[in-house]
Amino acid sequence: MNSNRKFIQFNILSVGIIASLLFAAWPCNGLSQDQQNIIHFEARNEPLRSVLNRLSANHNINITYNASDDVFDVLVNYTTSRHTPVEILRDILNQNGHEFRESGNHLVILKSTAQTRRPSDTPSGQSPPTTKTPSKEFTSNEISELKSEPFAEMRVLHDTIFIRDTIVRIEQQIIRDTVFVERPLQREITRPETLVRDLLGVEINGRERWAVGLSFTQMMTNYQFTDNTSLTPELEKVKQAESFSIRNFGLGVSLQYNTGSLSIIAGMAINSFAHRFDYSELFSSGGFNRIDTLDSFFVIQQNDTIWTHITDTIYIPLESQEIFYERMNRMGFWETSLAVTWDFYAGRNFVWYARGNFHASTPLWLNAQSIQNSEGYPAVNVNRDNFSPWLLAWSGGLGAKIRLNSISDIFAETWYRRYLNTWNENHPLERRMHGGGIRLGILYYF
């Protein structure tokens, strides 16, 4: 039995010594030519995880570490011009109490297991700490047996098992699970921004690009009269014939280019205007005496001819006829516009901006009546013959954009618009259409 125990102890000690020698010589065997080149490397106040990522990406080193450990966020300052990438990695890890072990084609980073104290670190007057080895009491018979055995001197080491180092390393291989989480995220950051990645939810910063907009407009319009002279009762009735209206709508599409805080926009829209036309015409006849001549004769006195007329007077009664016009005038326009917006305040998820527009409109459909500048100011049907072919206008407003996601914004703005010319050149009064409204829409960036 004693012989078997000695043989087993000797084998354990031999395996431990051989395993330690093999493990000490292992890390230098799998390094590629690129990892042995002398390079220049510099890091200034850079997080440790960022430094490790650069070494991995630029020098073909597969680095594995626990990404959830806060120690990898510590800032690193390091400069060298005469070390290989692996030597640089070892120097940087030594500064932070870490080391690496090679496992396959991966360098696994873990905390240093051996921390030696230099003589200078030992306080004066104190002796360095010593490690106590567990002892065992032997009987006199056992001591005599140990002295007689050939491997008795080696039996003193049986309490120290060097294989414990490899057990620690095997347990730390669990860190390999983080490789499949950390490295793909780093590759995604370096990929170019595309519409496909954007639709999948990847964040894209900035709006320095083209955008298409869709919008809906609600307008309130009225006529502003530029003739300041006093009006007759007939012209006052003409002025009151068409009042303000809120039954005005528009649908538009726009293409815009964004550069910094400035955006240039070209747009097209279909606008529909509807307002009430309330007017009356009065036609009157009679109300006077009509004198008819029944006969005429003359006499001559002293060479003068004196005529005498026999007449009959008839009273013509007054007759009046009034025509009332009560209807809804409806007109549609095809509009083109050119606009400029300026972002004067930008938050994290919203932007305030100012907008200026120039508009040009041409009629699409006309179903309306107006008043003609002629005797009695009669009402006439509106058609392309008495309607201006182009209406010019300017507008200005304020709005806000709210971020929906990385490719779209919604916006809302209020504005005031004034037309530069009148659409009815034959109207008795000089007037211009003007009004305000609100515009809602969405922007898609590409």
Side-chain angles (χ1 to χ4, degrees), residues 26 47 82 87 102 129 151 164 187 205 213 216 242 258 274 301 322 352 370 403:
W26 179 264
R82 59 181 188 278
E87 292 173 343
E102 187 173 2
F151 297 100
R164 290 178 181 176
R187 297 191 187 100
N205 297 321
F216 169 79
E242 298 174 85
N258 310 294
Q301 294 179 357
E322 189 173 9
W352 291 99
S370 185
R403 183 187 184 96

Side-chain angles (χ1 to χ4, degrees), residues 388-418:
S388 298
W390 287 99
L391 291 177
L392 304 180
W394 63 267
S395 66
L398 298 174
K401 292 185 290 188
I402 301 175
R403 183 187 184 96
L404 280 182
N405 50 47
S406 57
I407 62 170
S408 62
D409 294 341
I410 59 174
F411 64 88
E413 65 180 54
T414 59
W415 48 264
Y416 170 79
R417 178 184 296 188
R418 178 179 172 83

